[in-house]
Amino acid sequence: MAEPDANLEAPNPDGQPYYLRMNHFNGETVNPLYTLYQAEREDKSRRWMGNYAAHIDFTNWLTLDLSQSIEIQNSRYSLNNPANTWTTSGGTDETFGMSYTGGSLTKNSREKITKNTQATLNFNHKFGDLLIKGKLSYLFEDRNNEMFEMYASDYSFKGTPDFDNFVTINDGKSEDFTERAQNYFAILGFDWKDKILLDGMFRYDGSSLFGPDARWNPYYRISGAYRISQDFDIPGINELKVRAAYGTAGMRPGYSFQYEIYKIDNGGFTQDQLGNKGLKPSITKERELGLNVTFLDKFSFEAIYAKSVTEDQFLNVPLFAPVNEGFKSQYQNAGTVESNTIEMSLGANWLANRSGFSWNTNIVFSRVRQKITELPIAPYVFGETDGGAPKIFYVREGETYGSMYGHTWLRSLEEMAQQLPEGASISDYEINSDGYVIPAGTQGTPEELAIKKLDELGNPLYTKIGDGVPDFNMGIANTLSYKGFTLYFLFDIKHGGDVYNGKGQWVTRDLRNEVMDMSGVPEGQKKAYDYYVNFYDTNIANSYWVEDASFVKLRELSLGYRIPTAALASFAKGTFKGANIKFVGRNLLTFTDYSGYDPEVGSIRQPYDGTYKYPNFRNMAVSLTLEF
Amino acid sequence: MKLLLKYILILLIVVVSACDTSLEIDNPNDPDRERLFADSDDVEGLAGSLYQNIYQGAHDYDGIELMLATSSDNVSCSWGNAGMRDMSWEPRNQAWVNTPSYGFAANTKYLFDKMYSSINTSANIINAVDMDLDMGEREARIKAWCKFIQGVAYGNLALVFDRAFLVDETQTVDPELKSAVDYDEIMKAAIGYLEEALRYAKENELSIPNNWLGQESEVSNERFIQIINTHAARFLAYMPRNSSQLAAVDWNAVKKYADNGITDDFEVVNDNGVSWYAEGADYLTANGWGVTDMYVVNLMDPTQPQHWDDNPAFAHPPKSTSPADHRLETDFSYLASNWFQAARGYYHYSNYRMSRYDEFYVNATGPKSEIMLSENDMLRAEAIVYSGGSLSEAADIINAGTRITRGEMEEVGPDIDEIIQAIHHERHVEMMLTGMGLQFFEMRKLDLLQKGTPLHLPLPAETLQTLQEPQPYYTFGTVAKADGTNTSNGGWR
């Protein structure tokens, strides 16, 4: 990291601002403002969406819908580093060791086209008390994604960012992905006297992402509901419905999973993955139970419990290369994940237009538990890191998906007693003010160092140090309106769930972690730098950096006003039929104990707060809607 | 109704037939074996990129070049990356942790996978050529080239690992640990493949296209033969794990190969990271990264300390005023301060860094020595000495080389110790940052690696995991296990 006294505004030897080598003692630290000043980057994107549809009524109970939607997304960027861009090596004493790179140019263009064509035959007829609805549908999906990129370095002539201006073009690449699917489905629904409902769906999908033998797969769903309140009159209950459903769904793999790949790059190659034309979809079977109640004319409550089992996950299985023609891995169907979900929501319409004033509240609650119940291959680590840091998410049978594994520190003398080094006794150790076992008498000195928990072989124990799954998530939304004004605010609550504070760990290496600042700490309670650097532990994943990331956030606050039609009639000869103005603020407040920027970082499966992660931005907007 | 139906039908036909609805899609981005091995030109193209894989395996940051440089006290760096720090602690008690979750387990696997990628592909090519494809006149060249590749890949494996698996177009193994054979068997096989390559090259008039070996121009038959010979000499000479194995090397064979070896530097033309990039050396000399180990500084100027003692009171040594080796002033730059963390040990500090390649690495474009003529010369001299040849002949070779022309040092006389020391000196100074692990192989065979340094590495943990071996996996290193055959029990200090 940069020294706090580095002068970011100093000039470079040729007068360019933001002197690059702002730290003379370390050639790695460069001035971040220099690249922002010097590099020229332009990103353009264009999106076109269109849809055309036809609806034909054959009779009043048989209709046909045809539609095609097209989306074309084109994005391009160009990055020009001018010829006189400084770099920290290759120079002389006069230029402080810096020299010009000669510049470089990169241009990239990508276009994605998605076309979906669908034809649906609808049937809807009432036979006495029984209403029967049906659909027969065919959906064709067509996706294409193409990219070109060129890169060249060392300009022949300055000031002309054009690919003709290079002696050689260093690198070019292109990609072309096409994916198609044909899906047939049939839906049939029965509704008897508006109180018993039964639905069934059957689907037959074929996708180009699978080999020919595994391409076509059937899926289905059946569900039923009973509106109890239609048959029984329960005081205070306006509506009571129970429902249940069971269904299957298939997941499609990534584009490349089925192919055998000799990865070509600039004329060279590496053997990457062995193909798998027999790769099947990963199937999820889910059963769901639900309850809907509206009561006291004001409240509505819904509860859902869902249990799903996903089998035949797409796992990238490592292969023993020497007997697999040099191929290192293959995607196979293996592994099972089970998950249970509870969701509840409660809506309360406290006041419905009582003298112009209304107020309603909506609360949602959810809790998900997911576990890997079967893993037929060796456990493996995965996840993004900041380069140089080991991966911390561990997939293992019987473990929650997204568990973090690493080393951990002793917090009790009983544990220390299990791993005393030769010749030492338990009286040589004590617990420090943070709760860690340290050598006795070293508190407040550079020898105060926490001790790792060891396994039977004397190596640091590799164990679970946390996971990102929260105990529950809740959202509380309130809408109040009076005359033309509407006030809306939403609180998001996450309780439980850990985050790995990678940022905190890295800055400790450079002695800059806030927790190391001893100014203001009373004399007898100060701790030495060495104590914290010991926890940095050469960036090895360890439990010190796992923090609880519960939070309460004011997710949204908005105030809107609808201008009365009468007032508009007299403005601009009544051109406007309606006008609405709204102020919206998002991510306004966060209440949390998490010490990093934002506890809402990464994902549930990879709650990793790395050096490149920004906090969520707070934003405020004004919107004006005019109806003509 | 009829009209309506007609319109619907037309619409449907137009909409659906406008697109290709086939679900059978080939991958246009990367080929598979079926596509590659069907065409003789493609097969040649595939063969041509085999040496790139070897170069990457040897020199990428993801490989082991960095950790071999620090563990041999040639370069010093206390950053944890790529196992540099774990392999260079004093005392050597942190390596080698052979578990799949170890932060640097992937580095040894990288080298292993890259070498087998070349081995397996060259075997497939030879099979394709023998069975289906008609390469015509190009057949001899492809076979010579594939045998050369197999030789170099197995040679690298035998130098680094304690054992490996012998597979080629005629043999395969069962996927279990006990199918592996020891490194001396692997090396014998490697020399065998190089001999076959030599046979093809000598019996035919071949020339190797420049991009196959990263050269500026086509490689003539004569030069290709020289390159194969030098590789054979290197592998035999760098094999020994300790001084008793050193005495058992067939030095006559080394002499024969080295005498028929390269007559000028074998350089690979780097192209700014596109196909050829000597990445390891970039990190080992970058500002903020590797510095020159005091052991090497002391070799060039005996008035400099040989070791930076691990205490804050050790004074920062001053710049050399008249070093015995002139290269300390031309190839190295003085450092007035250190960027490493004191907490990691002052013994990583140094007062010099290697600056010979600074200009080269601005854009990493241009030729970079892979095997210097000096290296071949030293192999010749070494072979003469150990095979009981004329010491003055060996001394003459050294005195005609970079020791005098670049180092401007004192000439050596016909004395065994002086000659071996001079060879040792050139390998540490002149050949710094050329071949992967050169200084590691040099230190280990002279029993100079610090006690506790692994003398070779165990098979990668992830590979053992794929073979379903039970943990804990076997490994080497640490002072407690210093046995002289797998872990050094010697050390220059």
Side-chain angles (χ1 to χ4, degrees), chain A residues 467-484:
Chain A
D467 74 50
V469 181
D471 296 332
F472 63 81
N473 278 307
M474 264 180 86
I476 305 176
N478 279 284
T479 312
L480 296 98
S481 54
Y482 179 63
K483 305 258 168 102

Side-chain angles (χ1 to χ4, degrees), chain B residues 70-338:
Chain B
T70 54
S71 60
S72 56
D73 293 325
N74 179 255
V75 170
S76 174
C77 190
S78 66
W79 298 128
N81 307 62
M84 283 194 289
R85 184 180 179 211
D86 280 359
M87 283 283 268
S88 65
W89 277 77
E90 284 182 11
R92 299 275 203 264
N93 277 324
Q94 303 300 321
W96 177 253
V97 179
N98 205 19
T99 63
S101 56
Y102 179 52
F104 310 113
N107 290 74
T108 55
K109 182 155 193 296
Y110 188 80
L111 178 70
F112 186 86
D113 284 345
K114 280 283 181 188
M115 295 302 117
Y116 274 103
S117 177
S118 287
I119 290 167
N120 284 108
T121 307
S122 42
N124 288 341
I125 292 174
I126 293 175
N127 269 332
V129 166
D130 276 340
M131 289 194 230
D132 313 305
L133 287 179
D134 180 22
M135 304 288 295
E137 293 173 339
R138 298 177 289 174
E139 182 171 324
R141 174 169 77 183
I142 281 242
K143 287 209 166 149
W145 176 253
C146 286
K147 285 294 158 193
F148 167 65
I149 293 295
Q150 287 176 340
V152 175
Y154 274 118
N156 281 337
L157 289 172
L159 285 178
V160 172
F161 294 104
D162 74 307
R163 70 191 82 171
F165 301 88
L166 210 45
V167 301
D168 63 22
E169 65 279 4
T170 61
Q171 54 180 326
T172 184
V173 293
D174 289 326
E176 43 188 11
L177 181 58
K178 54 185 190 196
S179 322
V181 294
D182 282 347
Y183 61 90
D184 36 19
E185 286 284 313
I186 299 288
M187 190 53 90
K188 273 206 202 78
I191 301 296
Y193 294 122
L194 292 177
E195 278 289 339
E196 268 189 76
L198 279 173
R199 186 175 58 82
Y200 276 110
K202 286 178 188 163
E203 287 172 6
N204 297 278
E205 211 27 62
L206 327 160
S207 64
I208 304 294
N210 67 316
N211 59 317
W212 289 23
L213 271 172
Q215 301 295 298
E216 272 168 0
S217 50
E218 205 176 55
V219 177
S220 68
N221 197 10
E222 200 193 320
R223 184 154 166 74
F224 183 49
I225 290 174
Q226 288 176 346
I227 290 169
I228 302 174
N229 276 310
T230 296
H231 275 90
R234 299 173 85 232
F235 288 142
L236 285 174
Y238 299 157
M239 256 275 285
R241 286 10 184 187
N242 55 36
S243 48
S244 35
Q245 288 182 15
L246 171 68
V249 170
D250 183 358
W251 290 106
N252 286 313
V254 177
K255 181 170 189 317
K256 182 188 70 161
Y257 288 123
D259 284 344
N260 288 303
I262 55 180
T263 49
D264 55 351
D265 290 343
F266 172 57
E267 298 172 317
V268 168
V269 179
N270 278 223
D271 55 9
N272 201 359
V274 175
S275 309
W276 306 96
Y277 179 29
E279 191 176 22
D282 198 351
Y283 281 93
L284 288 170
T285 49
N287 226 307
W289 284 75
V291 296
T292 308
D293 198 294
M294 290 312 292
Y295 177 79
V296 178
V297 177
N298 168 269
L299 284 178
M300 290 187 276
D301 181 359
T303 66
Q304 293 277 358
Q306 202 182 28
H307 182 257
W308 193 303
D309 294 338
D310 193 13
N311 81 70
F314 190 87
H316 192 111
K319 191 169 173 176
S320 284
T321 42
S322 50
D325 188 332
H326 183 62
R327 286 170 288 200
L328 187 60
E329 295 180 339
T330 55
D331 291 1
F332 296 81
S333 346
Y334 179 70
L335 287 173
S337 64
N338 274 279

Side-chain angles (χ1 to χ4, degrees), chain A residues 133-317:
Chain A
K133 289 190 208 177
K135 268 194 218 284
L136 276 174
S137 186
Y138 169 75
L139 170 65
F140 175 66
E141 300 169 65
D142 188 352
R143 288 188 193 89
N144 182 256
N145 184 339
E146 270 181 60
M147 182 273 273
F148 303 93
E149 182 172 297
M150 278 236 290
Y151 166 78
S153 67
D154 214 1
Y155 279 107
S156 300
F157 301 100
K158 300 191 186 52
T160 312
D162 182 301
F163 281 113
D164 291 319
N165 191 10
F166 294 95
V167 174
T168 41
I169 303 293
N170 299 59
D171 195 11
K173 55 173 153 223
S174 65
E175 280 174 354
D176 191 338
F177 303 113
T178 306
E179 184 202 326
R180 294 196 199 114
Q182 289 178 22
N183 315 295
Y184 296 92
F185 39 114
I187 299 176
L188 196 59
F190 300 95
D191 179 343
W192 188 66
K193 284 192 180 171
D194 207 19
K195 60 181 165 185
I196 293 184
L197 307 139
L198 200 64
D199 260 283
M201 179 202 70
F202 178 79
R203 209 176 147 130
Y204 195 56
D205 286 356
S207 164
S208 67
L209 294 171
F210 299 104
D213 295 328
R215 181 157 295 151
W216 289 93
N217 296 281
Y219 307 106
Y220 64 90
R221 184 195 75 219
I222 51 170
S223 63
Y226 175 39
R227 291 179 66 201
I228 299 173
S229 47
Q230 296 292 96
D231 280 341
F232 300 95
D233 205 2
I234 306 160
I237 305 278
N238 308 104
E239 164 84 23
L240 179 63
K241 179 166 91 173
V242 290
R243 53 191 169 90
Y246 180 80
T248 65
M251 238 150 294
R252 291 181 191 160
Y255 174 79
S256 63
F257 293 10
Q258 62 167 313
Y259 299 116
E260 179 175 289
I261 294 190
Y262 261 81
K263 193 128 207 63
I264 49 176
D265 191 17
N266 305 310
F269 78 94
T270 15
Q271 270 138 302
D272 210 12
Q273 72 178 30
L274 194 60
N276 190 349
K277 291 282 178 188
L279 193 67
K280 303 178 296 198
S282 165
I283 309 268
T284 302
K285 298 188 177 125
E286 186 176 90
R287 64 203 62 129
E288 190 180 291
L289 295 168
L291 172 75
N292 289 72
V293 195
T294 52
F295 54 101
L296 300 176
D297 290 326
K298 279 193 204 310
F299 301 100
S300 67
F301 174 77
E302 184 178 13
I304 300 173
Y305 169 73
K307 184 176 156 86
S308 74
V309 177
T310 306
E311 291 173 321
D312 286 334
Q313 301 263 320
F314 300 120
L315 288 183
N316 200 359
V317 178

